[in-house]
Amino acid sequence: MQSQLTNSKEIIVYLAQQFPNCFTLDGEAKPLKIGIFQDILLHLENNDLLSKTKLRVALRAYTISWRYLYSIKEGLYRVDLDGNPTDVITKEQMEHAQQLLKDSKQKAKERFKQREKEKTKNSRSPLKKVKALQLGDFVKVQLGNKLLKVQIINIEKEHIKVKVGSGMELMVKPEHIINR
C-alpha cells in the first residue's frame, strides 16, 4: 500500500501525471472546469493516495498561483480532466482573477519591502561604526554567539585590529564590532 500524498506540490504533480491534458507543471496553465474537484473525486474513487481535504487545499494552491490566474482570460474555454473544452470564461471571472492577481502581487511586494526593512534594521552599518571608533576604545566584538570585550589598536579600511585581555590580537570586520 502506498502512503498518502500530503504536500500540495506532490498532489499537483500526481494530478499532472494522472490528467496531463488538464494540469500542467510548466508553462501556461489551463483554466480548469468549475467543479473539477468533484470530477477528480469520481475518477479517483478507490484511491487511497488523496484525502478530500488535501486535494481541496492543493487545488486551491494551484488556482491562486500567478501562473494559473494569468490563464483566466475572457472568451477562453475551461478544460475538463481530459483537456476537453467546457464552459467559456466570462468577463466577470476574468476580472475576478485579475483582482486576485493584483492583490497577491501587492501582498508579495509588501512582504518584500518588510523583509528589506528588517534586513536594514538588523544590519549594523559598518561605516557609522568605523567613523565613531577611535584607537584605544574598548568595544565588544561578536565572535560566534559570544561577545568579547576588546581594545582597538588599529583601524584599517576593511578590518579593525583589536587586542583581547589576554594580549592576543585579532583582525575583525567592522560589522562584528558592537560599540555601546
Side-chain angles (χ1 to χ4, degrees):
M1 182 176 166
Q2 290 182 312
S3 63
Q4 201 175 48
L5 296 173
T6 56
N7 176 309
S8 288
K9 288 182 183 176
E10 291 172 347
I11 292 170
I12 296 303
V13 168
Y14 176 74
L15 292 174
Q17 291 167 349
Q18 297 299 309
F19 310 108
N21 296 322
C22 180
F23 291 93
T24 60
L25 300 176
D26 304 316
E28 204 169 309
K30 297 175 185 174
L32 302 178
K33 172 188 168 196
I34 294 174
I36 203 144
F37 174 75
Q38 293 301 326
D39 294 355
I40 294 169
L41 290 180
L42 288 173
H43 244 68
L44 304 175
E45 231 174 341
N46 300 319
N47 186 320
D48 293 337
L49 284 177
L50 293 173
S51 76
K52 287 181 181 180
T53 304
K54 303 275 187 196
L55 174 60
R56 194 178 308 275
V57 169
L59 281 174
R60 178 73 180 146
Y62 186 80
T63 58
I64 63 166
S65 71
W66 292 4
R67 187 172 74 93
Y68 181 82
L69 292 172
Y70 276 120
S71 76
I72 307 298
K73 295 184 179 94
E74 182 181 6
L76 291 183
Y77 285 96
R78 294 179 178 277
V79 296
D80 65 10
L81 293 176
D82 297 319
N84 299 319
T86 59
D87 42 328
V88 175
I89 296 171
T90 65
K91 182 178 181 181
E92 291 77 22
Q93 291 169 338
M94 179 188 73
E95 288 171 349
H96 179 69
Q98 287 175 343
Q99 187 60 48
L100 288 173
L101 184 60
K102 182 181 172 187
D103 293 347
S104 179
K105 285 184 171 189
Q106 184 61 37
K107 285 180 186 171
K109 189 176 180 180
E110 288 168 10
R111 282 193 306 269
F112 177 78
K113 281 182 181 178
Q114 186 61 34
R115 272 192 236 116
E116 289 301 308
K117 196 175 175 182
E118 287 173 12
K119 275 185 197 175
T120 305
K121 187 173 88 175
N122 292 338
S123 69
R124 296 181 207 105
S125 174
L127 295 176
K128 289 181 184 174
K129 302 283 187 223
V130 172
K131 288 179 185 173
L133 299 176
Q134 294 181 3
L135 295 180
D137 282 355
F138 284 92
V139 293
K140 292 184 180 179
V141 173
Q142 181 89 38
L143 288 177
N145 294 335
K146 296 181 179 181
L147 285 178
L148 196 59
K149 188 173 180 182
V150 296
Q151 184 177 21
I152 297 175
I153 56 175
N154 193 9
I155 299 175
E156 298 173 10
K157 276 188 179 179
E158 294 183 25
H159 291 92
I160 297 175
K161 195 171 190 180
V162 296
K163 189 178 210 176
V164 183
S166 65
M168 184 171 67
E169 295 179 359
L170 303 169
M171 293 293 273
V172 296
K173 292 185 177 180
E175 58 263 26
H176 296 286
I177 299 233
I178 299 171
N179 187 13
R180 293 185 189 157

